[in-house]
């Protein structure tokens, strides 16, 4: 098959959690003998911020780590869709694209394109900014790949699309897998971006204050931390280590004993049950995970794959237990890894995507038929 993908960036993961999943999907598609063309815009906010802060070295390092992954940078002012879509069998368009590009691709399909066309939504804007999502013209699309059942249902309920499938993110186990335990650099590591301050109170409750009160050696990686956030980290005696290339996460996890998941507010409230990439990363790497109270949509097994803390006291209790009981830590790590390998790798998601393609009438030789509900 010839798959064409329009995404925000393949090259950069600066404040761009979708890069992990995208890279894993492309790697899996290529391994199965497909041709994959990825296009990212010249105005990519993630890539441009990465280069602004760190120069071109991170891009070169990405190419060394992923020698088979390539993308073409296009200028929306001079885009040539006839060339870009020539010979395509399947086209995926991510929601982090301009409304006009999404419309133009749909119109190209309507003018006689023979490819199947799917919109891919991996963001909370369907509930936090529905007016933005309603502005996407999906009339000529075959359907929507939504990263959770609730998001899928919204597309159907609001009439934004006629067909939609729940297509969760997953771990790229070519990169994210357990590594031999390295020399310890601390007790706890947290990897996450500050965002827009929507979880600042939750971070203090479930991360900063428990670390300080327990006297743990801890490190935080991420970007967009304002002065007040860095001050809070310093007050809690937590090392702030800035941006971490996504593919280096497994190496960092191997140097710490435990990690924590602190969901953003939309995933605690409006999008309860929709998992983002962070839990997949931790469980795939075999590091014990403790999460602030959260409903994961029955993807994982709370209490078995990871521990759930409903308040600060319970978070401290769980941290003490995991750090002091090697048997408990090992059991959590093994269970979480088993769950990932059983059904939540990028290979599983490509199986699901190919089943959707067959449902849309495409011929996909050799694909396991694993259909998932469209409504």
């Amino acid at each position: 098959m010839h798959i064409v993908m329009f995404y925000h960036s393949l090259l950069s993961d600066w404040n761009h959690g979708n890069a992990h999943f995208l890279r894993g999907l492309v790697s899996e598609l290529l391994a199965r003998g497909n041709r994959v063309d990825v296009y990212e815009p010249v105005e990519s906010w993630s890539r441009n911020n990465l280069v602004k802060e760190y120069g071109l070295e991170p891009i070169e390092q990405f190419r060394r780590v992923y020698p088979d992954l390539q993308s073409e940078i296009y200028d929306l002012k001079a885009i040539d869709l006839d060339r870009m879509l020539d010979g395509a069998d399947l086209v995926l368009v991510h929601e982090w694209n301009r409304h006009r590009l999404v419309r133009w691709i749909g119109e190209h399909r309507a003018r006689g394109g023979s490819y199947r066309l799917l919109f891919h939504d991996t963001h909370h804007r369907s509930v936090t900014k529905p007016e933005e999502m309603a502005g996407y013209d999906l009339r000529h699309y075959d359907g929507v790949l939504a990263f959770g059942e609730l998001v899928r249902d919204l597309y159907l309920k609001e009439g934004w699309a006629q067909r939609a499938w729940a297509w969760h993110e997953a771990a790229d186990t070519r990169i994210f897998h357990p590594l031999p335990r390295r020399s310890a650099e601390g007790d706890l590591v947290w990897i996450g971006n500050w965002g827009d301050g929507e979880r600042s109170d939750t971070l203090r409750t479930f991360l900063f204050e428990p670390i300080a009160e327990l006297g743990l050696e801890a490190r935080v990686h991420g970007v967009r931390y304002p002065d007040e956030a860095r001050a809070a980290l310093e007050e809690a005696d937590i090392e702030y280590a800035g941006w971490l290339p996504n593919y280096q996460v497994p190496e960092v996890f191997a140097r710490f004993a435990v990690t924590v998941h602190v969901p953003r507010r939309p995933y605690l409230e409006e999008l309860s049950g929709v998992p983002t990439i962070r839990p997949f990363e931790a469980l795939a790497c075999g590091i014990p995970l403790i999460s602030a109270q959260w409903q994961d949509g029955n993807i994982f097994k709370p209490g078995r794959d990871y521990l759930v803390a409903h308040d600060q006291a319970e978070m401290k209790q769980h941290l003490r237990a995991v750090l002091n009981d090697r048997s408990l830590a090992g059991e959590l790590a093994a269970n979480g890894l088993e769950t990932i390998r059983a059904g939540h790798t990028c290979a599983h998601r490509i199986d699901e995507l190919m089943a959707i393609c067959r449902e849309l009438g495409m011929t996909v030789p050799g694909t396991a038929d694993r259909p998932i509900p469209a409504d």
Side-chain angles (χ1 to χ4, degrees), residues 2 4-7 35 37 39-40 72 74-88 91-93 97-115 117 141:
H2 178 191
V4 178
M5 310 172 80
F6 291 84
Y7 280 73
R35 171 184 168 183
D37 295 331
Y39 293 98
E40 58 182 274
E72 179 179 324
Y74 67 87
D75 187 340
L76 198 58
K77 298 176 183 177
I79 194 167
D80 184 354
L81 289 179
D82 286 340
R83 177 186 65 82
M84 298 161 82
L85 298 172
D86 183 38
V91 179
L92 303 184
V93 183
N97 274 299
R98 298 292 184 95
H99 285 75
R100 53 183 168 170
L101 175 65
V102 173
R103 185 182 74 252
W104 289 347
I105 295 174
E107 291 170 347
H108 185 277
R109 159 69 185 279
R111 290 195 298 269
S114 60
Y115 49 84
L117 179 59
Y141 283 64

Side-chain angles (χ1 to χ4, degrees), residues 8-9 12-16 44-50 96:
H8 181 71
S9 185
S12 173
D13 53 44
W14 190 98
N15 201 61
H16 182 211
S44 166
W45 179 76
S46 174
R47 189 188 64 251
N48 291 343
N49 273 285
L50 177 64
W96 200 352

Side-chain angles (χ1 to χ4, degrees), residues 151-167:
V151 178
R152 174 201 63 196
D153 293 346
L154 273 171
Y155 272 88
L156 299 173
K157 177 184 176 182
E158 298 296 332
W160 297 336
Q162 295 302 308
R163 304 186 77 176
W165 296 265
W167 198 47

Side-chain angles (χ1 to χ4, degrees), residues 58-363:
I59 304 298
E60 296 305 317
Q61 188 176 19
F62 160 82
R63 291 184 171 126
R64 291 192 290 271
V65 174
Y66 297 95
D68 296 329
L69 303 194
Q70 300 179 16
S71 64
E72 179 179 324
I73 297 174
Y74 67 87
D75 187 340
L76 198 58
K77 298 176 183 177
I79 194 167
D80 184 354
L81 289 179
D82 286 340
R83 177 186 65 82
M84 298 161 82
L85 298 172
D86 183 38
D89 299 302
L90 174 66
V91 179
L92 303 184
V93 183
H94 192 241
E95 43 71 29
W96 200 352
N97 274 299
R98 298 292 184 95
H99 285 75
R100 53 183 168 170
L101 175 65
V102 173
R103 185 182 74 252
W104 289 347
I105 295 174
E107 291 170 347
H108 185 277
R109 159 69 185 279
R111 290 195 298 269
S114 60
Y115 49 84
R116 297 301 182 187
L117 179 59
L118 296 170
F119 188 68
H120 186 197
D121 189 341
T122 61
H123 203 270
H124 57 67
R125 286 187 297 163
S126 58
V127 295
T128 58
K129 296 183 179 180
E131 67 283 355
E132 290 188 10
M133 303 313 296
Y136 284 111
D137 183 353
L138 304 180
R139 288 175 297 167
H140 305 300
Y141 283 64
D142 291 294
V144 172
L145 303 172
F147 76 139
E149 284 78 3
L150 194 152
V151 178
R152 174 201 63 196
D153 293 346
L154 273 171
Y155 272 88
L156 299 173
K157 177 184 176 182
E158 298 296 332
W160 297 336
Q162 295 302 308
R163 304 186 77 176
W165 296 265
W167 198 47
H168 292 282
E169 294 186 301
D172 176 10
T173 50
R174 287 178 170 80
I175 302 293
F176 285 78
H177 54 80
L179 295 177
R181 302 301 298 177
R182 314 292 188 185
S183 56
E185 294 184 1
D187 301 305
L188 183 153
V189 63
W190 187 73
I191 299 170
N193 303 317
W194 185 258
D196 299 310
E198 75 279 359
R199 60 176 168 183
S200 56
D201 292 341
T202 312
L203 285 171
R204 289 184 175 88
T205 299
F206 288 95
L207 189 67
F208 301 170
E209 292 174 8
I211 288 171
E213 292 180 20
L214 293 174
L216 304 182
E217 292 185 44
R219 179 189 299 169
V220 164
H221 284 279
V223 301
R224 299 181 68 200
Y225 279 70
D227 291 342
E228 60 268 25
R230 298 193 188 197
L233 289 170
E234 185 175 357
E235 183 180 353
D237 198 23
I238 299 171
E239 176 191 1
Y240 174 62
W243 171 70
L244 179 71
N246 183 253
Y247 46 79
Q248 290 182 8
V249 167
E251 298 175 18
V252 172
F253 279 156
R255 297 187 176 98
F256 287 83
V258 67
T259 191
V260 169
H261 178 48
V262 184
R264 295 177 184 269
R265 184 175 299 136
Y267 300 102
L268 290 173
E269 299 173 357
E270 301 97 329
L271 286 177
S272 177
V274 178
T276 56
I277 198 66
R278 298 302 184 187
F280 292 104
E281 292 179 346
L283 298 182
C285 290
I287 185 172
L289 173 67
I290 305 172
S291 177
Q293 184 177 9
W294 168 62
Q295 299 296 322
D296 68 13
N298 298 317
I299 295 293
F300 310 115
K301 304 177 184 66
R304 181 182 183 275
D305 296 342
Y306 65 91
L307 300 179
V308 180
H310 297 84
D311 53 34
Q312 186 175 124
E314 196 169 16
M315 175 60 77
K316 290 191 292 184
Q317 175 186 334
H318 287 331
L319 285 170
R320 286 194 195 98
V322 170
L323 291 170
N324 294 321
D325 186 338
R326 290 188 177 182
S327 176
L328 171 62
E331 186 176 348
L332 287 170
N335 291 342
L337 180 60
E338 179 185 23
T339 294
I340 291 292
R341 289 177 172 172
H344 303 294
T345 71
C346 288
H348 290 101
R349 297 299 178 262
I350 292 301
D351 284 342
E352 294 170 356
L353 178 62
M354 294 299 103
I356 291 170
C357 288
R358 294 176 69 178
E359 187 177 334
L360 292 173
M362 298 179 66
T363 300

